[in-house]
Amino acid sequence: MMELRPETLLAQAAGFEDPATGGLIPPLQPSTTFLRDPDNAYRRGFDYARDRNPTYQPAEAVLAGLEGGAEALLFSSGMAAATAVFQALRPGDHVVVPEVMYWGLRKWLLETATAWGLEVALVDTTEPEAVHAALRPGRTRLLWLETPANPTWAVSDIAALSELAHAAGALVAVDNTVPTPLLTRPLDLGADLVMHSATKYLNGHSDVVAGALVTRRTDGEIWPRIRTIRHDGGAILGPFEAWLLTRGLRTLHLRLRAACGNAMHLAARLQEHPRVERVLYPGLPTHKGHTLAARQMQGGFGGMLSILVQGGEQAAVATAANVRLWKRATSLGGVESLLEHRASIEGPSSPAPANLLRLSVGAEDVGDLIADLESALAAAEA
Ligand code: PLP
């Protein structure tokens, strides 16, 4: 088949046609068990739904295609996907991870992975020198990256850091939840594995918790171990969630384009606002990682930004209290806009400034979004 552009791959869910019925929409297969052939074989490839289910196939094919990978695996959540990568290492292995990253994974690494024997080094991955100094040739097995990173949208150089990690004998895995493969393809830049919280943009409708991993190659040591971890540990996605995820994926390009346009507009407008101390968005030339983001990200800077509200934590919380249209809720990547005070969620170890509000920009009219935020900022001042 000709190589298809991402938009085509997405809109047609990898070109699905049901051989039994001619249906163009992938069916939902709820069966947990599958019939053996009379000679006891399973020629149709399915035996038991932990972890083989035909409903996974369209989403896994689309994700592998979008990321330019050899294979994708769905998981029951983004955390199940991310932790499978670390579980595929061995006690005593050393890993380098960003100081600024999804807080839930940082917490799991510091509490659970270290108790299990992984040695975890937290590093400022926006500084290649710091990563170079932290890598221990022969002992570091994995460099984990997230870019732009939650919630300051710090940008790390995947290509440069992959070179450094590979020279030290380490693999590179990238949490690509926020840019999605439409804006950044880590495997093209040298990474070995890509992880997604498919709960976010990939599904896009805030009605599925799901995760995914994509690999550059299926040989080597780590991918077969990850496959075994999913199968044996059983952190699989339910067929209904997998079906919804495929349905959501079909409009990813349209939703993301709307979110990127709205986020750019909001960032430019909010940075002029007297009640906003700073806007953190990689699309703004004032952002520390802007030049790198402009090189590394294609077609937009994403739908996530943060604002530092004048007046400290109280003013930030009061702004959140006064929104009407924006929803005060955690998570990101849906078509509805969400806003959240991160420091109170992440706790004292959080790198989020106390006056930071994280904005997940949706697909609403940007004028409505601006008007609601401006009136919340004004109400918080009063
Ligand atoms: N990675 C990022 C960047 C996230 O924002 C999240 C969730 O907020 C996760 C990973 C974890 O994903 P999940 O909630 O699907 O387990």
Side-chain angles (χ1 to χ4, degrees), residues 53-194:
N53 184 305
T55 314
Y56 298 173
Q57 287 175 338
E60 289 181 343
V62 169
L63 287 176
L66 284 182
E67 292 285 8
E71 192 173 293
L73 290 175
L74 298 183
F75 285 81
S76 55
S77 67
M79 279 299 285
T83 56
V85 176
F86 292 96
Q87 284 169 16
L89 305 177
R90 292 190 166 78
D93 283 346
H94 179 251
V95 298
V96 176
V97 307
E99 271 170 1
V100 178
M101 67 188 300
Y102 169 58
W103 78 287
L105 183 58
R106 189 181 65 227
K107 180 173 181 291
W108 181 87
L109 285 165
L110 296 180
E111 290 173 9
T112 307
T114 49
W116 177 73
L118 276 190
E119 207 181 321
V120 180
L122 283 137
V123 172
D124 178 359
T125 54
T126 66
E127 298 293 341
E129 275 309 306
V131 174
H132 187 240
L135 288 165
R136 298 195 202 149
R139 275 221 47 220
T140 308
R141 294 290 314 281
L142 184 75
L143 169 66
W144 184 268
L145 299 174
E146 179 183 324
T147 178
N150 223 327
T152 61
W153 318 113
V155 184
S156 298
D157 189 336
I158 299 171
L161 298 178
S162 295
E163 262 186 49
L164 291 176
H166 291 157
L171 294 172
V172 178
V174 180
D175 181 340
N176 205 29
T177 300
V178 166
T180 86
L182 297 181
L183 305 184
T184 306
R185 295 220 315 178
L187 302 181
D188 289 351
L189 298 169
D192 304 285
L193 295 167
V194 171

Side-chain angles (χ1 to χ4, degrees), residues 133-361:
L135 288 165
R136 298 195 202 149
R139 275 221 47 220
T140 308
R141 294 290 314 281
L142 184 75
L143 169 66
W144 184 268
L145 299 174
E146 179 183 324
T147 178
N150 223 327
T152 61
W153 318 113
V155 184
S156 298
D157 189 336
I158 299 171
L161 298 178
S162 295
E163 262 186 49
L164 291 176
H166 291 157
L171 294 172
V172 178
V174 180
D175 181 340
N176 205 29
T177 300
V178 166
T180 86
L182 297 181
L183 305 184
T184 306
R185 295 220 315 178
L187 302 181
D188 289 351
L189 298 169
D192 304 285
L193 295 167
V194 171
M195 173 254 150
H196 283 280
S197 168
T199 315
K200 318 299 183 196
Y201 291 101
L202 298 185
N203 178 61
H205 293 78
S206 307
D207 53 10
V208 169
V209 172
L213 293 175
V214 186
T215 185
R216 166 200 292 287
R217 44 190 283 199
T218 52
D219 57 352
E221 225 184 297
I222 198 158
W223 191 250
R225 284 172 67 83
I226 287 171
R227 270 202 207 121
T228 301
I229 286 164
R230 185 179 79 163
H231 178 269
D232 294 3
I236 55 155
L237 198 58
F240 182 55
E241 285 75 12
W243 186 86
L244 275 176
L245 173 58
T246 301
R247 189 169 80 160
L249 274 168
R250 295 170 65 122
T251 55
L252 170 63
H253 50 304
L254 306 175
R255 293 182 281 103
L256 190 70
R257 203 177 297 148
C260 287
N262 280 355
M264 191 70 221
H265 209 96
L266 264 160
R269 177 77 176 239
L270 288 169
Q271 81 170 342
E272 303 301 327
H273 197 285
R275 299 293 302 154
V276 175
E277 197 177 286
R278 245 175 92 200
V279 177
L280 304 176
Y281 183 61
L284 292 178
T286 48
H287 193 268
K288 185 181 166 220
H290 175 70
T291 309
L292 174 57
R295 190 170 78 230
Q296 188 166 268
M297 302 178 78
Q298 255 97 57
F301 295 93
M304 296 301 301
L305 61 110
S306 297
I307 57 173
L308 306 186
V309 181
Q310 287 277 7
E313 176 165 2
Q314 227 179 348
V317 173
T319 302
N322 279 290
V323 290
R324 297 280 172 271
L325 193 60
W326 290 78
K327 305 300 171 204
R328 266 182 315 280
T330 199
S331 200
L332 57 101
V335 285
E336 65 290 316
S337 293
L338 307 179
L339 144 165
E340 188 173 44
H341 181 247
R342 285 305 293 177
S344 45
I345 284 263
E346 299 190 14
S349 69
S350 168
N355 61 342
L356 180 145
L357 289 180
R358 186 181 79 179
L359 275 51
S360 170
V361 184

